[in-house]
Amino acid sequence: MTPTLPPAIELLDLLPDAVCVVDADGRFLYVSASFERILGYSREEILGRQTFDLVHPDDRAATRQAAGEVMAGALQRHFRNRYVHRDGHSVDIQWSARWHPGYGVRVAIGREITELRQAERELEHRASHDPLTGLPNRHRLHAELRQAIQRPASDGAGLAVLYVDLDGFKAANDRGGHDVGDRVLVDVAARLLKGVRQHDLVARIGGDEFVVLLRGCRNIHAARTVAEALRARLQPPFQLPDGPITLDASIGIACHPHDGGTAEALLSHADREMFAIKHRRPRDARGAGRASSRAG
């Protein structure tokens, strides 16, 4: 005797992924048991509701677009968005979906990937940030700078790059070793961050070199004002185990588009300006000393 198989609907409840059926208007007609496990809503609470009501507000536009593409005949695989759990937190889900025109329904299977997305975000952060200071690294700086150049400034505001190189930092390493030098770099990063606006960017691009991206900087005069303010922030002594040390900074400036139309050109110009300032400063100091002596 052939055994009687359970209804397919009961088999769907055994799946670890959520199975959903929605109509052409996006209303839930069916959800499997895993839907409640993943999102906290029971079937009674969810049937008849709009799917988009549960989607994270920041992901609704992309979700509506994806749903439209599915209903136009595309087979959707691996679409990711965030839903809002019944208790309020976000849940990352990866969907596969297909439109069945003969029934007028969209069938979708969703797998929770919250832990996967968290791991991916951590890897993305590590790939784009300096592990010592937590600042954006060279790769992230180039991406942000290219994006800032491409974005049209409707208000006519400009863009400036400050190339910051520490003067005297080698003495910190010589006196206390690399661990002490690392602590000084972390302090330098904190001081630079406190000296810029929230929408500006401070990056560490290697060693004792930092770059500040000033969005909406009007002109070279405004950039110089910020550069001098940052230099002043770096001049108070840093505390080492064997006593304080005083650093200075050479800061080169490049303004877009006057000093370059690309990220590479702007950084190269600011680097050259910084190099010139660094090698001119000792001669300036000696000259000032001689002038002071003659005046005395």
Side-chain angles (χ1 to χ4, degrees):
M1 179 178 178
T2 303
T4 302
L5 296 177
I9 204 75
E10 293 182 11
L11 295 177
L12 294 179
D13 284 341
L14 298 177
L15 296 176
D17 299 334
V19 180
C20 307
V21 179
V22 301
D23 63 17
D25 295 325
R27 298 187 182 278
F28 286 106
L29 301 177
Y30 166 81
V31 294
S32 66
S34 285
F35 190 95
E36 180 175 1
R37 178 184 59 80
I38 295 172
L39 292 171
Y41 295 94
S42 67
R43 284 190 177 121
E44 291 73 19
E45 293 175 299
I46 215 66
L47 296 183
R49 290 187 61 176
Q50 271 279 352
T51 56
F52 303 113
D53 291 345
L54 274 65
V55 176
H56 190 286
D58 293 343
D59 294 350
R60 285 176 185 167
T63 303
R64 288 183 183 277
Q65 179 179 347
E69 292 172 356
V70 170
M71 294 175 68
L75 175 61
Q76 181 62 261
R77 297 183 186 274
H78 312 308
F79 173 75
R80 294 179 174 186
N81 65 2
R82 289 167 295 172
Y83 268 58
V84 180
H85 192 277
R86 193 175 187 276
D87 66 12
H89 70 270
S90 296
V91 179
D92 289 275
I93 301 181
Q94 180 170 289
W95 295 96
S96 296
R98 170 174 285 175
W99 173 248
H100 292 271
Y103 297 94
V105 298
R106 189 168 69 249
V107 179
I109 300 176
R111 171 169 297 182
E112 182 181 2
I113 57 168
T114 303
E115 293 183 1
L116 173 62
R117 282 298 296 133
Q118 182 178 352
E120 290 175 345
R121 292 183 186 108
E122 290 177 358
L123 290 174
E124 290 166 1
H125 186 274
R126 292 179 185 179
S128 62
H129 288 75
D130 171 44
L132 175 64
T133 63
L135 295 176
N137 60 16
R138 183 186 295 270
H139 175 75
R140 174 73 179 277
L141 169 68
H142 276 261
E144 292 283 345
L145 185 50
R146 291 190 186 102
Q147 187 179 48
I149 291 171
Q150 293 171 1
R151 185 183 301 117
S154 58
D155 58 358
L159 174 71
V161 171
L162 310 182
Y163 201 113
V164 183
D165 185 90
L166 300 180
D167 299 328
F169 174 72
K170 183 176 181 297
N173 279 334
D174 292 342
R175 285 171 50 181
H178 289 290
D179 288 343
V180 170
D182 285 350
R183 290 200 294 270
V184 171
L185 291 173
V186 171
D187 196 356
V188 166
R191 294 189 190 189
L192 291 175
L193 284 172
K194 290 179 181 178
V196 299
R197 301 161 299 180
Q198 187 174 4
H199 63 275
D200 294 328
L201 181 140
V202 179
R204 181 185 176 215
I205 60 173
D208 59 349
E209 294 181 327
F210 298 80
V211 170
V212 180
L213 170 58
L214 300 175
R215 296 182 174 95
C217 187
R218 297 185 303 278
N219 50 48
I220 184 65
H221 305 293
R224 284 176 180 157
T225 298
V226 176
E228 286 304 314
L230 291 178
R231 184 183 173 201
R233 280 185 174 273
L234 296 177
Q235 289 174 342
F238 295 82
Q239 296 302 320
L240 303 187
D242 63 348
I245 185 173
T246 300
L247 304 181
D248 202 345
S250 299
I251 304 178
I253 301 173
C255 293
H256 177 269
H258 182 268
D259 297 320
T262 66
E264 292 75 14
L266 287 172
L267 289 171
S268 179
H269 182 92
D271 186 18
R272 291 194 301 271
E273 290 291 312
M274 178 276 296
F275 187 82
I277 291 170
K278 180 178 287 291
H279 287 268
R280 185 170 64 240
R281 184 164 291 153
R283 292 196 295 272
D284 290 345
R286 290 195 297 270
R290 288 193 296 272
S292 176
S293 176
R294 289 196 299 271

